[in-house]
Amino acid sequence: MTAYLNRSSTLPALAPVALACAALLSPLAALAQDTTPPASGDSAKLDTVVVQGQRSSLIRAQDIKRNAEQVVDSIVADDIGKLPDANVAEALQRISGVQISRNRGEGDRVQVRGLQQTQTLLNGRVIFTAGKERGLSFQDVPAELLAGADVYKTPTAELIEGGIGGVIDLRTRRPFDFAGFKLAGSVKASRADLADKNNAEGSVLVSNRWKLDAGEFGALLSVSTQKREYRSDTQELDNPAALADGSGTVAPLGNWLAYEFGERDRKAASASLQWRPDARSEYTLDLNHTQLKSRTDVYGFYASPFWANYSDTAGQGQLWADGTVKTDSQGRFVSGTFWGADMSTSSSVADENTRIDQFSLAGKWKVADAVVRSDISHTRSKFDRFYQEVRLGTFSDDPATYTFDLSTKLPSAYSDTAQLDNPANYWADKTLYFRIKNSGRETAWRADVDKPVDAGILTKLHGGVRINDRRAESAEINTIDDIWMYSLSAIPSVGLLPNNNLLKDAGSGNIPRQWLGVLDTNWLRNTEAVRSTFGLTEPSFDPAQTFNYRERGAALYGAGDIDTSLGSLPLTGNVGLRVVQTKTERAYTNLSSERVNLDKTDTDWLPSVNLRLELQPDLQARLGLSRVVTRPNFDQLTPSLSLNVNDQTAYQGNPELDRLRANQVDGTLEYYISKSDSIYGAAFYKEVQGFVQNTVTQVAIQGTTYSLSTPTNGSDGRIRGLEIGYQGFFNQLPGYLRGLGLQANFTYVDSAAPSSINGRTAPLEGLSKRSANIVGMYDYGDFSARLAYNWRSEYAVGSRLSYPTNDGVTALTPVTMKGYGMVDAFISYAITGKIKIALEGNNLTNTVRRSYFSDYNLPRGTYADGRRFAISLRAEL
């Protein structure tokens, strides 16, 4: 333990920075502090705001943060409902230190202080989405289902292990949360601007509690249904490749364009029964269900001059210029026309169905002066994905050329001689069929005891045990078949796309916006019809792409609360140790078609210390020291194979992969101006052992050469950063202006992790070095409004192959997403004390995201999702 605590030497250097950051916000504190009483005419109305408006939600969230044993940030139901957040990920992005990625216009993955390896809980119990990864896909859960969410950035011994980034605990409502009968509901009409579609959604909650001879009973049911159609437009320039003239100039070798039309159907239900027989016991039964069904239709176009050219010496395609190539002053490619135009169009459908069900029974008893809790839960999740595509080849008339011009805001890429509206220039080229079927389940039991003691500085002892049994299964099939059918008559509904406005808001640029494709998506979803048309049968799951994984864990912890003083200042906190033993069993089929079983056992010792020093009644400082652990994903640990036959890439797990562990130090300074207003600063440092990196090799599989990625534990890495934030209302302003308020936070995270690119270190994938939230608030009387700006700086999104020479040698080059910001808004008015009408808007700035190849400073991707607007009516009794 002594050696571990010595790692905290980083904190003294960071703590003054946190103090200085907090001091910078002190003028806001002075403005927010209400030193003069309101005029008598405004007093009653202001009281109503405090109880019912946005201030009440800030008060509840601030109470959690102020009184917690460790560093935690929270959002509560009012916060979740006051912004147009479709799912939990979008609600969490408002918290400092949290960043999210986006998928087709919605929030998706969540990172806490730079790390995606977070543990996700629902009412304190592990919740997950079935798949190759361990955690929850946050877009599965609608925001309306929740009462709140807590993001624990430092652990205590009783928190379930598994997150080196942090622990996210999602909380649903229960009947004893309300004083008596409660009925609330909402209906909403929304419009997706780019998709030009209208949708309806709604939610309802009913709860009551009764006092009977057998004690007090409570019952609650909450349901939510949400259907949202969307459209996403994409352009991606393909891998950088050196020109064949030996100049060293590198240009894109292809261009992918796509219209994506989709529909998300999200349903959720939460039911809870509570029974309190007497003042010393309580029982809770929770049932939670979420299901997300999505349907996506994609119409794509790919073109390249690269594949139309071949080198006799290396067998490697090359870019042969047809005329002059223009470069900038640094020799970087700007524009040029190339010989050859290999082109194809794609019509595909992708249907996904994710379901999560959790059942739990908990009890709490007071035994003498101790509190005993026990909890048993069972969680099941299923994920199915179906994908089918028909690809048409097309050609351009002589001379066959393709032009790139990167000087336009939307990179131009086109063939002057292509006739994309002429059926005579097409043939049926390929068909693709992918299928994934994942399932996961976990049964867990835990028991905890809290007992007050009088033993010097110790005031309470905590102890507990948790036993869990988790299983994960995955099966896949990925096929691609050549058709070479020169007549399109056998394929129903081949025609010109009805849309011709691809990336209309992304700036000027010359790209194809219409082409021929299969327009009958119902036919594409009929596997038998599609396969039989081309003389093919439906393939079964590939044994080499299946695995079964089982993980059994036993955890034991002990902790103690302390209450003492440092000098004359009150010092409280806790110290604890969690010990976890994990046994794993995995089964898979290797490339030799042999069934393999592997077993392994390991033990982790996880100490934690959390201290809170009360510098003044409203000013407190925290120090946290802890060791945390997370295990690799299931596919990383199981050497089953995953093939992408479309681009000849493959992935295979590594049974020797070790878990990730981190030692971390956290320091905060928190100043509470009032019940709802505060300023805080935080500094943190994580030393992560065994970062996972992928090693890429060229391997022949089933007669085809694939780029095979295999995960390995790389060298250690580190993450360090700062957070500052402010929230409050400007109570000194006169009259109606006192309803103005502000939430603002800024996060800086610097990371260094091992990279598979030339052995260098790099920032963590998906991590922006800087991110910020600014929320302007107005809450007075019956009127409430928020205008929120969420921003993040550029971040790495992976890597692609490049062709830096003309001799067939390939390399990996990183892809970076440029920084971007988005503006959301919410306005509501209370028609009566029980009925509110609201307007909301998402992505009001119509932000277009863009990425680039970092090594060559060439554009990579352009992504547009459009705006969304909604009007809703909320009522409660």
Side-chain angles (χ1 to χ4, degrees):
M1 186 67 147
T2 302
Y4 169 74
L5 291 175
N6 285 340
R7 298 184 184 271
S8 66
S9 58
T10 307
L11 181 66
L14 294 176
V17 181
L19 292 170
C21 292
L24 290 174
L25 292 171
S26 58
L28 291 173
L31 183 58
Q33 210 157 7
D34 192 2
T35 57
T36 59
S40 59
D42 293 332
S43 179
K45 186 169 285 189
L46 183 57
D47 288 343
T48 302
V49 171
V50 171
V51 173
Q52 298 179 353
Q54 298 179 48
R55 299 180 196 227
S56 64
S57 67
L58 296 182
I59 289 171
R60 294 197 296 274
Q62 185 165 290
D63 282 344
I64 295 172
K65 180 180 181 69
R66 184 173 188 172
N67 299 317
E69 295 180 335
Q70 71 271 66
V71 180
V72 59
D73 284 293
S74 300
I75 49 176
V76 297
D78 283 350
D79 285 321
I80 295 172
K82 284 290 195 307
L83 284 169
D85 300 321
N87 58 52
V88 173
E90 295 182 1
L92 291 172
Q93 72 177 323
R94 317 293 173 188
I95 292 177
S96 62
V98 175
Q99 297 177 2
I100 69 169
S101 60
R102 293 185 176 273
N103 178 24
R104 298 179 176 94
E106 278 194 7
D108 185 8
R109 294 177 179 270
V110 171
Q111 290 179 308
V112 178
R113 289 183 169 177
L115 291 164
Q116 292 181 359
Q117 294 89 348
T118 58
Q119 178 66 276
T120 309
L121 311 177
L122 181 64
N123 298 318
R125 308 168 186 113
V126 172
I127 188 78
F128 54 86
T129 300
K132 299 176 181 179
E133 300 181 359
R134 291 179 170 272
L136 177 72
S137 176
F138 286 91
Q139 67 176 341
D140 294 344
V141 183
E144 292 92 343
L145 191 68
L146 301 183
D150 304 317
V151 179
Y152 295 96
K153 299 175 181 177
T154 62
T156 56
E158 67 251 41
L159 268 181
I160 299 174
E161 74 288 343
I164 61 174
V167 176
I168 301 173
D169 191 5
L170 310 176
R171 293 179 280 108
T172 60
R173 299 172 178 87
R174 288 171 172 156
F176 286 176
D177 294 342
F178 305 102
F181 177 75
K182 184 74 171 182
L183 176 63
S186 67
V187 291
K188 180 185 293 186
S190 66
R191 177 171 179 79
D193 188 40
L194 186 59
D196 193 22
K197 296 289 186 180
N198 300 319
N199 294 120
E201 53 194 81
S203 62
V204 64
L205 177 147
V206 58
S207 177
N208 204 356
R209 53 197 295 178
W210 306 268
K211 289 186 177 181
L212 305 174
D213 293 340
E216 187 170 10
F217 288 87
L220 177 146
L221 176 65
S222 176
V223 296
S224 170
T225 179
Q226 183 185 97
K227 184 176 180 180
R228 293 193 172 190
E229 295 182 77
Y230 64 87
R231 170 180 157 184
S232 292
D233 292 359
T234 297
Q235 179 196 51
E236 288 185 335
L237 299 184
D238 213 345
N239 311 32
L243 304 190
D245 59 8
S247 64
T249 301
V250 173
L253 62 78
N255 178 44
W256 164 255
L257 302 168
Y259 294 94
E260 295 187 41
F261 300 93
E263 172 188 290
R264 294 185 178 98
D265 188 353
R266 190 181 281 113
K267 291 181 172 62
S270 176
S272 182
L273 299 174
Q274 289 185 290
W275 175 38
R276 190 176 292 155
D278 51 52
R280 303 186 67 83
S281 60
E282 183 175 301
Y283 302 88
T284 303
L285 175 67
D286 288 327
L287 298 169
N288 291 287
H289 164 81
T290 64
Q291 185 167 23
L292 173 61
K293 294 181 179 180
S294 64
R295 292 165 59 94
T296 306
D297 304 332
V298 179
Y299 302 99
F301 172 84
Y302 182 79
S304 170
F306 183 81
W307 304 111
N309 298 272
Y310 293 90
S311 164
D312 294 334
T313 57
Q316 177 65 51
Q318 296 180 1
L319 286 170
W320 294 89
D322 183 20
T324 302
V325 170
K326 182 179 179 180
T327 60
D328 63 14
S329 59
Q330 297 178 323
R332 293 180 299 213
F333 176 82
V334 174
S335 62
T337 298
F338 300 91
W339 182 86
D342 185 68
M343 299 180 294
S344 63
T345 71
S346 165
S347 298
S348 65
V349 293
D351 296 344
E352 296 183 356
N353 186 357
T354 304
R355 175 172 176 158
I356 306 171
D357 295 284
Q358 187 177 82
F359 164 88
S360 60
L361 178 63
K364 182 173 67 174
W365 306 269
K366 292 182 180 180
V367 181
D369 61 347
V371 176
V372 180
R373 299 182 303 277
S374 182
D375 186 294
I376 187 168
S377 63
H378 181 72
T379 306
R380 299 182 71 93
S381 179
K382 293 182 178 181
F383 171 79
D384 288 280
R385 185 174 193 268
F386 162 81
Y387 176 91
Q388 190 152 251
E389 174 187 347
V390 172
R391 192 175 299 169
L392 308 180
T394 185
F395 61 89
S396 59
D397 296 333
D398 290 335
T401 59
Y402 203 79
T403 299
F404 293 100
D405 184 353
L406 308 186
S407 66
T408 54
K409 187 172 183 179
L410 176 67
S412 296
Y414 57 93
S415 171
D416 277 328
T417 55
Q419 296 185 31
L420 298 180
D421 59 351
N422 184 1
N425 281 32
Y426 283 83
W427 70 95
D429 187 18
K430 301 179 189 299
T431 183
L432 290 80
Y433 175 86
F434 300 165
R435 184 75 190 276
I436 300 175
K437 188 178 181 65
N438 296 329
S439 63
R441 60 191 184 275
E442 180 180 73
T443 300
W445 171 80
R446 66 179 296 173
D448 304 86
V449 179
D450 301 330
K451 179 175 174 56
V453 296
D454 186 7
I457 65 172
L458 287 176
T459 59
K460 183 180 288 187
L461 295 179
H462 309 271
V465 61
R466 181 177 185 266
I467 300 172
N468 70 293
D469 186 351
R470 182 165 177 179
R471 299 170 186 258
E473 296 87 26
S474 178
E476 284 190 39
I477 181 64
N478 299 272
T479 66
I480 183 169
D481 295 285
D482 291 322
I483 302 171
W484 293 104
M485 183 185 292
Y486 284 89
S487 172
L488 304 182
S489 59
I491 305 175
S493 189
V494 173
L496 190 67
L497 299 187
N499 301 89
N500 62 355
N501 58 351
L502 186 72
L503 292 166
K504 63 183 179 66
D505 297 318
S508 61
N510 186 358
I511 59 171
R513 288 184 163 91
Q514 274 188 305
W515 49 84
L516 260 63
V518 179
L519 304 183
D520 188 349
T521 56
N522 290 327
W523 180 77
L524 283 173
R525 286 185 165 84
N526 188 330
T527 302
E528 183 180 357
V530 173
R531 305 287 291 181
S532 62
T533 297
F534 307 121
L536 302 169
T537 58
E538 181 177 347
S540 56
F541 287 112
D542 183 0
Q545 298 186 69
T546 66
F547 68 79
N548 297 285
Y549 188 93
R550 184 180 185 185
E551 187 174 278
R552 290 177 290 175
L556 183 69
Y557 78 88
D561 291 351
I562 60 175
D563 190 347
T564 183
S565 60
L566 181 64
S568 60
L569 300 177
L571 178 66
T572 57
N574 64 80
V575 59
L577 175 67
R578 188 177 185 90
V579 183
V580 185
Q581 184 178 81
T582 307
K583 297 181 179 180
T584 60
E585 304 169 12
R586 64 207 90 165
Y588 66 97
T589 301
N590 63 21
L591 294 179
S592 302
S593 299
E594 300 170 331
R595 197 64 177 170
V596 180
N597 295 282
L598 298 173
D599 299 336
K600 189 177 181 180
T601 301
D602 52 55
T603 303
D604 291 293
W605 299 75
L606 308 173
S608 61
V609 177
N610 291 278
L611 301 175
R612 179 174 55 180
L613 183 65
E614 188 176 315
L615 302 172
Q616 295 178 9
D618 296 322
L619 179 66
Q620 62 185 28
R622 297 181 187 268
L623 172 65
L625 307 171
S626 56
R627 183 171 176 82
V628 290
V629 66
T630 192
R631 302 185 64 79
N633 294 328
F634 303 125
D635 64 329
Q636 293 176 318
L637 289 167
T638 305
S640 60
L641 191 66
S642 179
L643 297 176
N644 187 330
V645 295
N646 195 18
D647 61 4
Q648 281 78 56
T649 60
Y651 181 88
Q652 188 172 38
N654 176 7
E656 300 303 321
L657 201 63
D658 200 4
R659 55 209 182 277
L660 281 72
R661 287 159 288 190
N663 297 323
Q664 58 186 31
V665 183
D666 297 84
T668 70
L669 187 66
E670 303 161 7
Y671 176 43
Y672 296 96
I673 307 164
S674 68
K675 289 183 178 181
S676 63
D677 303 359
S678 62
I679 298 174
Y680 63 88
F684 56 90
Y685 180 86
K686 296 176 184 281
E687 182 182 83
V688 184
Q689 303 168 359
F691 265 121
V692 176
Q693 66 184 69
N694 287 330
T695 302
V696 181
T697 57
Q698 302 296 311
V699 177
I701 303 173
Q702 301 171 355
T704 302
T705 300
Y706 285 83
S707 297
L708 177 65
S709 298
T710 304
T712 57
N713 288 108
S715 57
D716 296 347
R718 54 112 181 105
I719 303 169
R720 58 189 177 188
L722 297 170
E723 298 172 0
I724 57 173
Y726 165 81
Q727 69 175 33
F729 286 85
F730 304 133
N731 296 322
Q732 281 191 334
L733 296 175
Y736 294 109
L737 293 180
R738 72 177 58 211
L740 289 171
L742 177 70
Q743 287 179 294
N745 60 65
F746 174 81
T747 304
Y748 174 86
V749 184
D750 179 52
S751 65
S755 170
S756 57
I757 303 175
N758 299 327
R760 55 178 138 168
T761 61
L764 288 172
E765 190 171 309
L767 171 64
S768 293
K769 184 171 285 189
R770 294 171 294 276
S771 61
N773 289 285
I774 301 175
V775 183
M777 303 179 290
Y778 185 79
D779 198 351
Y780 199 92
D782 298 326
F783 184 77
S784 180
R786 285 192 177 191
L787 184 67
Y789 178 66
N790 176 265
W791 173 84
R792 61 182 304 183
S793 63
E794 69 175 28
Y795 58 96
V797 290
S799 59
R800 296 282 297 180
L801 283 177
S802 64
Y803 302 85
T805 61
N806 300 129
D807 55 5
V809 174
T810 62
L812 287 175
T813 182
V815 178
T816 300
M817 184 71 70
K818 294 182 178 181
Y820 63 89
M822 302 185 79
V823 175
D824 300 330
F826 179 94
I827 301 172
S828 72
Y829 178 75
I831 301 174
T832 70
K834 301 296 183 180
I835 300 176
K836 290 183 179 180
I837 189 171
L839 298 173
E840 59 188 55
N842 177 262
N843 189 21
L844 295 181
T845 50
N846 202 17
T847 296
V848 175
R849 295 172 292 127
R850 304 176 195 268
S851 62
Y852 66 100
F853 292 105
S854 308
D855 288 344
Y856 304 102
N857 199 26
L858 291 175
R860 161 61 174 167
T862 304
Y863 312 95
D865 301 307
R867 304 178 180 92
R868 182 175 292 275
F869 303 95
I871 181 170
S872 63
L873 190 67
R874 300 169 184 264
E876 62 178 72
L877 298 175

